[in-house]
Amino acid sequence: MTGVLDRYFKISERGSTIPRELRGGLVTFLTMAYIVVLNPIILGGVADAEGNYLGGDSEGANMAAIAAATALIAGLMSIIMGLVANFPLALAAGLGLNAFVAYAVATQMTWADAMGLVVIEGIIILILVLTGFRKAVFDAVPRQIKTAIAVGIGLFITLVGLVNAGFVRTTGQGSPPLGLGVDGVLHGWPVLVFCIGLVVMIGLYANGVRGAILIGIVVTTVLAGIVQAVTDTPGSNGDPFSTGWNLNVPGIPDSIAAVPDLSLLGEFSLLGSFDKIGVVAVILLIFSLLLADFFDTMGTMTAVGAEAGLNDEDGAPINTQRILVIDSIAAAAGGAASVSSNTSYVESTAGVGDGARTGLASVTTGVLFLFSMIFTPLVGAIPNEAAVAALVLVGFLMMTQVTGIDWDDIEIAIPAFLTIVLMPFTYSITVGIGAGFLAFVFLKLVRGKFREVHVLMWIIAILFLAYFLLGPLGDLLL
């Protein structure tokens, strides 16, 4: 059996082992498992245009059904990614995309209509992939800009980790917009648990301990449980100034297993949105979803491939076309299951940082997501503060690629700089990529080298310009 796995996934060929792949898949799952809790909070916290909540009624959402469907689609799509693309990349409901669907789309129509738009967007992306357009765009991007995307994502996930842990917070005062802890001081037991977990991970990694990230998450989870038993610290309930636990309150769950509620599967309407808000408004919303999905995945797979050493000399991951096809199908599948567009997760870099190099890691992550449908109470026992320390360490690993950028070449340096800094500063991978692309094309144009720009880069730059002008355009057209 081990020989079959080794040959199918090319484990030895890529310098890995089965235990390392299984461990990497587990680390990725532990780093991503928060989505099973967070997606219901985001999607379930907003009523649609008719006053109803997702999967429920005017009184509230069916949180259990959202969690179960979130885990199901994440599990299935991650397994497919591993089996078909043989790449250590897991998928789940996209953060940012789910918030956009909840607050910008569902508030204008019914939840079924909103999820129908997600399905349409996924189908369009799939068509772009199958026609070769999406891969052609990826190939047209200069290699050093791809490197900048990976570095920018490293900074982005570092900030995500620090914010989710409460180490960095919004000040609520406008200037400065972010600060250390609350009022410049680290308050609360949860942030202390995060700091200890990060120190443990860094110490283990610095000493070359295999499984440093996984060991760090397990140790920190145990520590969090002990701290909670002694202090009885509450959850934050979404309050950015709270000193409580960010998402999950650690502890021994009341029950180990529960029967998953899959009632949300298939609850979507493909064309209902056109009657609700009109063709022009629908096109603008689909375009917004499409552009974010299109380029987030490009950045993510580049970052994962770079960290795993699976990119070619042009910075493109192996099996790029297969990765893009599966990611596109995942977008539509997420809408069909009423859990928003599913996409490739940059948290996969945590598993890669712990040694994952093949699709077996993704299969492992997917199987664990399927198990989490039943064992959701156990997933809820891992506090966010224990998992996100891994993002900070992985952010460092991805930052090391910055030396691959020629900072003496102004035509590369400025686009790379904007790509890197705008991802964390705007909390958006798409914005960083868009700014970098526009800057690259602009500099080539003003320096009289426009013939050096691939025609697809011109097209994408124009689309990104439209993306950044969506607000003014929407005001004019609606």
Side-chain angles (χ1 to χ4, degrees):
M1 181 62 180
T2 57
V4 173
L5 288 176
D6 185 78
R7 288 191 297 272
Y8 183 84
F9 290 105
K10 302 180 180 179
I11 296 172
S12 297
E13 181 180 325
R14 296 186 186 176
S16 186
T17 64
I18 291 177
R20 189 184 301 176
E21 295 301 310
L22 297 178
R23 187 180 66 230
L26 175 58
V27 167
T28 295
F29 170 74
L30 292 176
T31 312
M32 290 176 59
Y34 68 85
I35 194 61
V36 178
V37 177
L38 185 56
N39 203 40
I41 292 173
I42 293 174
L43 295 180
V46 183
D48 63 18
E50 296 184 358
N52 295 317
Y53 290 85
L54 182 58
D57 50 27
S58 59
E59 298 299 319
N62 187 340
M63 304 294 273
I66 302 174
T70 297
L72 174 64
I73 301 302
L76 292 177
M77 297 313 305
S78 295
I79 290 172
I80 293 172
M81 179 66 77
L83 292 175
V84 177
N86 193 19
F87 199 72
L89 187 62
L91 302 92
L95 282 175
L97 288 169
N98 54 7
F100 181 81
V101 170
Y103 292 95
V105 182
T107 52
Q108 302 183 52
M109 57 193 76
T110 68
W111 274 107
D113 297 334
M115 293 304 170
L117 282 187
V118 176
V119 174
I120 293 173
E121 175 256 334
I123 293 172
I124 293 174
I125 286 187
L126 179 59
I127 292 172
L128 293 177
V129 172
L130 294 177
T131 56
F133 180 77
R134 197 178 187 187
K135 185 177 184 300
V137 169
F138 182 79
D139 292 339
V141 179
R143 180 185 59 80
Q144 293 188 67
I145 299 299
K146 293 174 184 174
T147 300
I149 290 171
V151 174
I153 290 176
L155 290 182
F156 172 73
I157 66 172
T158 298
L159 182 60
V160 168
L162 294 173
V163 170
N164 287 353
F167 191 93
V168 172
R169 299 173 187 252
T170 176
T171 62
Q173 300 168 354
S175 180
L178 296 177
L180 176 69
V182 179
D183 295 327
V185 180
L186 295 176
H187 287 290
W189 289 104
V191 72
L192 177 61
V193 168
F194 161 79
C195 291
I196 294 174
L198 180 58
V199 169
V200 170
M201 283 187 193
I202 292 175
L204 292 171
Y205 178 81
N207 282 284
V209 176
R210 286 290 182 185
I213 294 176
L214 176 57
I215 294 171
I217 292 175
V218 173
V219 169
T220 311
T221 299
V222 173
L223 174 62
I226 295 172
V227 168
Q228 180 61 17
V230 175
T231 65
D232 194 26
T233 302
S236 66
N237 294 319
D239 180 1
F241 301 105
S242 170
T243 57
W245 301 99
N246 183 22
L247 288 177
N248 303 348
V249 176
I252 301 174
D254 295 330
S255 60
I256 296 177
V259 177
D261 181 350
L262 300 178
S263 59
L264 280 176
L265 301 186
E267 292 297 313
F268 68 94
S269 172
L270 274 181
L271 303 178
S273 57
F274 290 88
D275 293 331
K276 295 290 192 307
I277 62 174
V279 175
V280 173
V282 166
I283 291 174
L284 286 175
L285 289 174
I286 291 177
F287 179 69
S288 298
L289 283 168
L290 183 71
L291 210 56
D293 231 353
F294 193 106
F295 288 100
D296 266 12
T297 298
M298 187 180 77
T300 298
M301 71 180 189
T302 300
V304 172
E307 182 61 28
L310 297 176
N311 290 353
D312 61 24
E313 59 185 14
D314 295 321
I318 59 173
N319 296 328
T320 293
Q321 182 72 358
R322 294 183 183 183
I323 294 171
L324 293 175
V325 167
I326 296 163
D327 184 85
S328 304
I329 294 173
S338 299
V339 292
S340 183
S341 178
N342 272 233
T343 188
S344 301
Y345 256 57
V346 73
E347 282 86 347
S348 302
T349 53
V352 170
D354 214 48
R357 295 293 182 271
T358 76
L360 181 58
S362 299
V363 172
T364 302
T365 301
V367 169
L368 290 171
F369 264 118
L370 295 183
F371 270 114
S372 75
M373 293 171 58
I374 301 172
F375 299 106
T376 303
L378 287 179
V379 175
I382 303 172
N384 199 233
E385 289 78 1
V388 296
L391 298 184
V392 179
L393 178 56
V394 172
F396 154 73
L397 297 175
M398 296 173 68
M399 183 69 191
T400 59
Q401 300 173 47
V402 74
T403 57
I405 298 171
D406 184 0
W407 295 103
D408 293 325
D409 183 352
I410 198 70
E411 295 171 12
I412 287 294
I414 289 180
F417 170 74
L418 292 174
T419 299
I420 291 169
V421 300
L422 286 179
M423 285 188 191
F425 289 171
T426 64
Y427 232 62
S428 170
I429 294 173
T430 301
V431 168
I433 293 175
F437 282 16
L438 282 170
F440 176 79
V441 171
F442 173 75
L443 287 170
K444 289 291 187 181
L445 177 64
V446 298
R447 302 192 81 187
K449 300 179 180 179
F450 54 89
R451 291 186 179 86
E452 296 180 9
V453 181
H454 195 289
V455 64
L456 289 178
M457 285 293 287
W458 282 104
I459 295 173
I460 298 306
I462 292 171
L463 290 175
F464 264 120
L465 184 61
Y467 175 76
F468 287 123
L469 295 176
L470 271 180
L473 288 174
D475 294 337
L476 287 173
L477 296 173
L478 299 180

